[in-house]
Amino acid sequence: MAQINFGGTVENVVTREEFPLEKALETLKNETIAVIGYGVQGPGQSLNMRDNGFNVIVGQRKGKTFDKAVADGWVPGETLFDIDEALERGTIICFLLSDAAQIELWPTVKAALKPGKSLYFSHGFGVTYKEKTGIVPPADVDVFLVAPKGSGTSLRRLFVEGKGLNSSFAIYQDASGQAREKCIAMGIGVGSGYLFETDFYKEVTSDLTGERGTLMGAIQGIFAAQYEVLRANGHSPSEAFNETVEELTQSLMPLVAENGMDWMYANCSTTAQRGALDWWKPFRDATKPVFEQLYNSVKSQEQAEISITRNSQPDYREKLEVELAELRDSEMWQAGAAVRNLRPERN
C-alpha cells in the first residue's frame, strides 16, 4: 500500500499502479461475481467489471429493471438470471439492493452463502445495524465492502471516460485468509481511482452524514435559502438561479475539483475573493451546530431507524415521488430546467 499525506495525516491507500487490473483479474480468475440488484449501484459496477474482463452475472427479478439489464447487454440464461439462480451460481455475492430491500431478501441470500463464498457490499448499513436489519453473515464466508464515492451513474460515466471514482474498502470477516486481496481486486474491477481503508461502522456513519449534509441535504438547503433571499429582494428567477446554482456547478466547482478551493478563489475576481474569504467562516460557524446534530443523530442510530421504517413502507415509492415533485416543481428548479435548456451545448 502507498502512504499518502492527507493534510498532515499519513494514510495507507491502494492505487492502480501497485494493484493493476491484471493483478485483480488474476486474483478473481476462478470467481463468478453475481451482482444482485440492478438499481443504483448495480449497473455501473457490473458493467465496469464486465468491460474489465471479469466473470460477472446479474441477478434481477423480471420487470422493467430486468428489461434494462437486457438492454445493457446482459443475456438471459447466460449472464442474466433470476435472483435465486444467480445466488446459486455466484461465488462472490454483490448485495447491491437498497438497504430496505436487503432486509427483505436477506433470508434468501443467507441460505445461498455456502462455506467459501464471499459477500460483498457497497454500504455498511445492513451489517452495522444488524440488530435492526437482521443481517448477520455466516462465520464461514468472507465479508467485505467497496464503496465508490458517488452514484452508480457517475461511476459508469467516469469509467467510460477513462477516469474513476475514489472508493473506500473494508473487511468485516476474513474466513478464507484472502478477503483483503479479493476486496481490493473488486475495488479495482469496479473502476476505483484509488482505494482508502475504513471499517463498516465508519463507512456508514460518514456516508449517512455526507448524504444528509454537504453532498445532498445541506446543499439543497443552502441553495433554497439564497435563492429565496434573492427573489424576495426583487431578483428575477433566472438571475437568482444563475447566481445560486448554475455558476457554482458549471464554472466554480470544476475549478475546485481540478485543484482545490484556493485555486478556485485565485481564479475569481478580487471582489469575489474578498467576499468569500470574509464570509466562509461565518457560514461554517452557523452550520456546524447543525452538522453536529446530524452526526449525533447518525451515531445514535436514529437516522438508520428512520431510513428502515420509512423506506420499508409499501407506499414508499408513491410518497417519495411526492417529495421529489416538491423539489422538481419548485420555482428554483423550474427556473433551473429553463436555464439548462439554454446551455450552448443543447442548442
Side-chain angles (χ1 to χ4, degrees):
M1 299 181 74
Q3 290 195 323
I4 306 295
N5 188 321
F6 290 90
T9 299
V10 176
E11 298 183 35
N12 293 320
V13 302
V14 179
T15 67
R16 295 177 182 180
E17 286 72 28
E18 62 188 293
F19 206 109
L21 178 60
E22 294 74 22
K23 182 176 179 180
L25 288 166
E26 177 65 22
T27 300
L28 302 180
K29 66 181 180 181
N30 296 320
E31 305 285 354
T32 297
I33 301 166
V35 174
I36 307 302
Y38 206 73
V40 177
Q41 281 289 335
Q45 293 199 30
S46 60
L47 290 169
N48 290 0
M49 286 190 289
R50 184 185 71 182
D51 290 353
N52 270 333
F54 294 87
N55 181 23
V56 186
I57 62 174
V58 171
Q60 177 62 45
R61 294 189 180 100
K62 291 288 181 66
K64 291 172 62 176
T65 306
F66 187 96
D67 296 340
K68 179 182 184 302
V70 172
D72 285 343
W74 302 100
V75 181
E78 295 182 15
T79 56
L80 177 60
F81 304 93
D82 63 39
I83 289 176
D84 287 341
E85 186 167 356
L87 287 170
E88 181 65 28
R89 288 172 175 263
T91 59
I92 297 179
I93 307 301
C94 298
F95 204 13
L96 299 184
L97 295 170
S98 69
D99 295 321
Q102 285 187 11
I103 296 171
E104 180 183 351
L105 192 65
W106 174 244
T108 301
V109 173
K110 184 176 181 180
L113 289 173
K114 307 305 181 186
K117 288 196 176 189
S118 299
L119 180 60
Y120 167 102
F121 293 91
S122 281
H123 192 26
F125 191 100
V127 169
T128 299
Y129 302 125
K130 56 183 179 292
E131 294 85 0
K132 300 179 184 296
T133 66
I135 297 177
V136 180
D140 50 10
V141 301
D142 291 340
V143 183
F144 45 81
L145 70 77
V146 172
K149 298 299 110 181
S151 71
T153 301
S154 298
L155 182 72
R156 180 60 178 169
R157 286 178 179 173
L158 289 170
F159 177 87
V160 171
E161 293 171 6
K163 303 175 184 178
L165 280 177
N166 304 326
S167 301
S168 61
F169 77 98
I171 315 302
Y172 182 79
Q173 194 165 276
D174 185 5
S176 69
Q178 300 174 322
R180 188 181 186 82
E181 289 284 298
K182 287 190 281 187
C183 181
I184 294 172
M186 289 288 294
I188 297 299
V190 301
S192 302
Y194 76 85
L195 294 147
F196 63 94
E197 190 164 10
T198 186
D199 58 44
F200 273 56
Y201 173 78
K202 289 179 179 176
E203 189 284 326
V204 73
T205 50
S206 62
D207 192 67
L208 292 180
T209 301
E211 291 166 347
R212 287 148 180 77
T214 59
L215 301 178
M216 296 173 68
I219 197 167
Q220 165 61 20
I222 291 171
F223 283 165
Q226 178 169 302
Y227 182 89
E228 289 168 10
V229 167
L230 289 172
R231 290 288 289 126
N233 283 277
H235 298 271
S236 68
S238 61
E239 184 170 57
F241 187 85
N242 272 284
E243 293 296 343
T244 299
V245 180
E246 189 76 352
E247 185 174 349
L248 176 69
T249 58
Q250 297 301 296
S251 173
L252 302 182
M253 289 313 293
L255 294 177
V256 176
E258 180 182 334
N259 213 20
M261 188 67 74
D262 63 310
W263 170 252
M264 185 265 275
Y265 282 13
N267 282 275
C268 293
S269 71
T270 55
T271 301
Q273 291 169 5
R274 183 71 270 140
L277 290 167
D278 287 347
W279 278 92
W280 79 262
K281 289 179 182 178
F283 277 109
R284 176 200 61 192
D285 295 343
T287 59
K288 190 174 180 180
V290 181
F291 283 103
E292 289 171 339
Q293 179 185 356
L294 166 59
Y295 191 83
N296 288 333
S297 181
V298 172
K299 191 165 62 173
S300 70
Q301 301 190 17
E302 178 185 23
Q303 290 302 307
E305 184 65 39
I306 291 171
S307 180
I308 292 170
T309 301
R310 293 188 181 175
N311 296 354
S312 298
Q313 292 175 356
D315 60 349
Y316 165 71
R317 291 290 174 187
E318 291 79 5
K319 289 180 177 178
L320 172 65
E321 180 52 36
V322 171
E323 292 182 285
L324 293 178
E326 180 186 357
L327 290 175
R328 184 171 58 250
D329 296 338
S330 69
E331 183 191 91
M332 181 173 73
W333 289 111
Q334 286 295 304
V339 170
R340 288 191 297 277
N341 284 332
L342 291 170
R343 289 176 185 166
E345 66 269 21
R346 296 197 180 188
N347 293 285

